[in-house]
């Protein structure tokens, strides 16, 4: 009978150095505007990047302004996002998110998130309907360049294999652990 030997965890700083050597230094550039990133990431839940891209494009084509999504019927929004699957769940969720943002902020602008402490921004985002730590981290990292680590399925799996997190640590609890492995200025490159 063979026993499985536990490997020592990888050194995150060495992994970061290897990534830089292989792929070069990655500089942050805004991927999407914050509200676009938020809705895009909601649409990405439980589907592939290809489906998400097509679904987001379909939604923006049908409804060029977020206000028109907010004021449409859930059925119209569901029809626009049906390519990604789960449209009957995501359509009312997206509309609820837009409604909560407007009720709380008086408009649909998320630029204020960059001016408040990251923990407060993360808390505000995760208080939105259907927004968890990964979605919040995507908005903070990709729209604002803040050192939030989105832990999607692939990041979670690789982090376990490298020994960065415990094997049984769920993805929603892994964000702060993985964020703490490198300097905040390196989180984007590390992701």
């Amino acid at each position: 009978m063979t026993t499985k030997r536990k490997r020592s965890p990888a050194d995150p700083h060495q992994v970061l150095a290897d990534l830089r050597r292989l792929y070069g230094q990655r500089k942050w550039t805004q991927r999407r505007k914050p509200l676009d990133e938020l809705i895009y990431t909601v649409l990405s839940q439980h589907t592939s990047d290809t489906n998400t891209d097509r679904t987001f494009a379909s939604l923006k084509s049908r409804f060029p302004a977020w206000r028109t999504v907010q004021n449409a019927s859930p059925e119209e929004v569901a029809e626009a996002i049906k390519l990604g699957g789960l449209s009957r769940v995501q359509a009312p969720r997206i509309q609820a998110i837009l409604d909560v943002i407007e009720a709380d902020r008086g408009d649909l602008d998320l630029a204020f998130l960059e001016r408040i402490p990251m923990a407060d921004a993360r808390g505000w985002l995760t208080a939105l309907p259907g927004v968890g730590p990964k979605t919040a981290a995507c908005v903070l990292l990709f729209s604002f360049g803040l050192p939030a680590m989105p832990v999607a399925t692939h990041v979670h799996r690789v982090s376990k294999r490298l020994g960065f997190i415990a094997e049984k640590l769920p993805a929603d609890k892994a964000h702060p652990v993985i964020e703490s492995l490198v300097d905040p200025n390196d989180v984007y490159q590390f992701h």
Side-chain angles (χ1 to χ4, degrees):
M1 184 168 138
T2 58
T3 58
K4 197 174 187 181
R5 230 172 76 188
K6 188 174 181 177
R7 285 190 294 173
S8 297
D11 175 5
H13 298 95
Q14 183 60 53
V15 170
L16 184 60
D18 291 344
L19 290 170
R20 282 192 177 116
R21 185 177 43 75
L22 288 168
Y23 300 107
Q25 177 68 35
R26 297 290 175 117
K27 300 281 187 197
W28 175 82
T29 55
Q30 186 181 53
R31 188 165 83 171
R32 288 178 197 82
K33 293 177 184 175
L35 187 54
D36 286 5
E37 187 68 44
L38 175 61
I39 302 304
Y40 179 90
T41 307
V42 167
L43 290 170
S44 77
Q45 297 166 358
H46 307 292
T47 194
S48 69
D49 289 347
T50 301
N51 279 345
T52 304
D53 291 342
R54 284 188 278 183
T55 303
F56 187 75
S58 174
L59 180 64
K60 292 296 278 185
S61 173
R62 173 68 178 86
F63 302 103
W66 291 118
R67 178 88 52 222
T68 58
V69 172
Q70 191 179 13
N71 294 328
S73 73
E75 294 78 22
E76 290 174 299
V77 177
E79 179 64 26
I81 64 173
K82 70 181 178 184
L83 291 168
L86 300 175
S87 62
R88 294 188 186 281
V89 172
Q90 290 178 334
R93 179 177 294 157
I94 290 167
Q95 289 180 305
I97 288 169
L98 296 171
D99 289 343
V100 170
I101 293 169
E102 184 172 42
D104 188 67
R105 302 296 307 162
D107 59 30
L108 295 175
D109 185 6
L110 298 182
F112 78 97
L113 293 170
E114 190 173 29
R115 297 185 299 272
I116 63 176
M118 190 171 80
D120 294 344
R122 187 187 318 259
W124 190 89
L125 285 164
T126 57
L128 295 171
V131 175
K134 181 201 110 177
T135 300
C138 285
V139 172
L140 297 172
L141 180 64
F142 299 130
S143 289
F144 297 114
L146 296 172
M149 174 62 77
V151 180
T153 303
H154 63 286
V155 172
H156 189 241
R157 182 177 55 251
V158 170
S159 294
K160 286 194 288 188
R161 287 183 183 164
L162 292 172
F164 293 159
I165 58 173
E167 188 64 36
K168 299 213 183 261
L169 185 68
D172 63 327
K173 304 287 186 220
H175 294 79
V177 175
I178 300 171
E179 282 174 13
S180 72
L181 295 175
V182 295
D183 183 270
N185 294 324
D186 292 326
V187 169
Y188 180 76
Q189 175 83 31
F190 197 55
H191 180 270

